[in-house]
Amino acid sequence: RYESSSVCSTPQSSTVVGALIRASSAKRSPYLLADQGFHKSVILVVLDDEESSQGVILNHVTTETITLDLEGTNVEIPVRYGGPLQDLARGEGDSKPPLVFLLSSPSLREASIGVEVGTSGIFACTKQDITKAINAGLASITDVMAVQGLSMWKKHCSHSGVRGDIEEGYFEEISNNNIGNVWRRLLSQKPLSKDTVDENLLIAAEAWAMGRAV
């Protein structure tokens, strides 16, 4: 669906940044035979410009963890697989792209902590931002997501990135009324292991189901 045509119009940017979307709930998933990583995925759209849309998958935890030192106490949180384009954020000489920490807390706006993704109330943060928010009583460690990797939808001709995929039924926007429940459910996921794989898969599917329109 990304093939070019002989007559192309410039794709228009949308206001989709900050939207939480979920993979299609169609009876026959469009991701059964291709792009299986998107099957029943929950994605935060973080960028939408003239060239591409970009987002991070939120409901795929990995075996990796990141340790945060909070006032002398080490706390581990799972690292989430944000998408297949790991190289986009990779610095020269780095073996892995940097982590992005996400916090859902509108109170960070007034405190000028982190960078808000659109107007979603979800903030991209550094380790220092996380420590500052927790010390200020604006968040707890259990509110934090760590994501590594990226998903991208290139724009060309008549295809308008992730907005085009939403219009074609490949993804569905999660309403503002459901975002809080989806986010809180995802925060209960644990680092992936033999002991947690079934529970994590169940939570991932439940969070996806919570995003359905009512």
Side-chain angles (χ1 to χ4, degrees), residues 3-153:
E3 293 182 1
S4 61
S5 62
S6 57
V7 179
C8 294
S9 58
T10 302
Q12 298 298 311
S13 183
S14 69
T15 56
V16 73
V17 172
L20 209 61
I21 62 176
R22 69 178 200 148
S24 172
S25 59
K27 198 168 189 180
R28 181 178 175 84
S29 170
Y31 299 113
L32 288 178
L33 300 178
D35 297 329
Q36 287 96 339
F38 286 142
H39 181 62
K40 291 193 175 180
S41 59
V42 175
I43 297 173
L44 173 67
V45 181
V46 297
L47 183 145
D48 187 58
D49 59 21
E50 292 182 356
E51 295 183 352
S52 68
S53 304
Q54 297 176 19
V56 289
I57 301 172
L58 299 180
N59 58 336
H60 294 348
V61 291
T62 70
T63 58
E64 295 188 43
T65 60
I66 180 72
T67 301
L68 299 178
D69 184 358
L70 301 174
E71 297 182 344
T73 301
N74 290 331
V75 181
E76 285 190 342
I77 59 174
V79 174
R80 298 167 188 270
Y81 169 79
L85 301 181
Q86 300 275 339
D87 290 335
L88 286 180
R90 185 171 294 169
E92 185 177 351
D94 291 341
S95 59
K96 292 182 180 179
L99 285 164
V100 175
F101 296 95
L102 298 173
L103 268 175
S104 178
S105 175
S107 58
L108 298 185
R109 190 181 299 128
E110 292 183 5
S112 298
I113 297 175
V115 177
E116 188 169 8
V117 183
T119 57
S120 62
I122 298 171
F123 290 77
C125 300
T126 64
K127 270 188 177 183
Q128 291 76 15
D129 291 331
I130 296 298
T131 301
K132 185 176 179 181
I134 291 174
N135 288 341
L138 301 176
S140 70
I141 189 59
T142 56
D143 299 325
V144 181
M145 289 190 193
V147 186
Q148 198 163 49
L150 192 68
S151 302
M152 176 184 284
W153 296 259

